[in-house]
Amino acid sequence: MPGLVDGHMHPIQGGGTLLMCNLNYVQLNVAQMQAKIQACLDQSRAHEPDEWLQVVNWFQEGMVPAGTHTNRATLDALHTKRPIFVMSSFGHTALVNSRGLKLAGVDAKTPDPLGGKIGHDAAGEPSGLLEDAAQEAVIKHIPAPTAADNAKAAVNVIWKNRTFVIRFFTSDEPYASVTFYDDALAGRSPSLQRRVTPEVRLGLRDRAKSFRLVEQQYPGGVQQIEHGAPGDV
């Protein structure tokens, strides 16, 4: 039986991660990891003490020197009262600080869920490392993105990947109301060319025009977005 390949993308999810505290897959030692997350905390002091800080693209396997291990104490040492959730770049491991574990009700007596594993230290307490399905105990306590968050994510991923917005249309789901067209494919795909006309194609290099259209559909959705010109991305 031939293999079945589901080729697809998650543009809004990708755009959302670009708005989070991003470790960018860089090989870090513990001190460098702490410094980068602390910088994110310092830049968002208005969210103290209770809003979750979500950190993405942590290159867990690339921590240096080789054999370096992290635990909740790595995050507890930071200057914050906020719960922190750090997702590894491959998605199977998360690191959570003590505040986050407490809010999620994860303690020494919490059993491993089906398909997941809760790390423990020598004393039997949760280490802060959560594998696969064990992450769900924490994730369910992190508020889902709002409509404005999704609109910001859409604009962000469009800019980062230098795409066009083709069309806006009414939808209950903000991310479903945006159709993407990759400008790198211009002139190469007849099927896409048939969908795009000068009247409906909007080059996001005209930032003022593009932001105005998004703002009309999602009031407040493009506030506090900072981007360089496409040449700087």
Side-chain angles (χ1 to χ4, degrees), residues 14-80:
T17 61
L18 293 173
L19 296 172
M20 298 177 185
C21 181
N22 198 331
L23 299 185
N24 293 309
Y25 308 96
V26 176
Q27 287 188 278
L28 303 169
N29 61 35
V30 170
Q32 291 169 332
M33 177 184 181
Q34 290 173 319
K36 288 184 175 293
I37 297 175
Q38 186 65 58
C40 293
L41 290 164
D42 293 342
Q43 293 166 10
S44 56
R45 285 293 176 187
H47 301 292
E48 289 280 354
D50 296 322
E51 185 171 318
W52 284 86
L53 177 71
Q54 297 184 69
V55 183
V56 296
N57 298 328
W58 166 40
F59 190 9
Q60 182 188 18
E61 302 88 344
M63 293 289 291
V64 293
T68 294
H69 298 286
T70 54
N71 53 43
R72 58 190 169 92
T74 305
L75 303 179
D76 290 347
L78 301 176
H79 302 295
T80 185

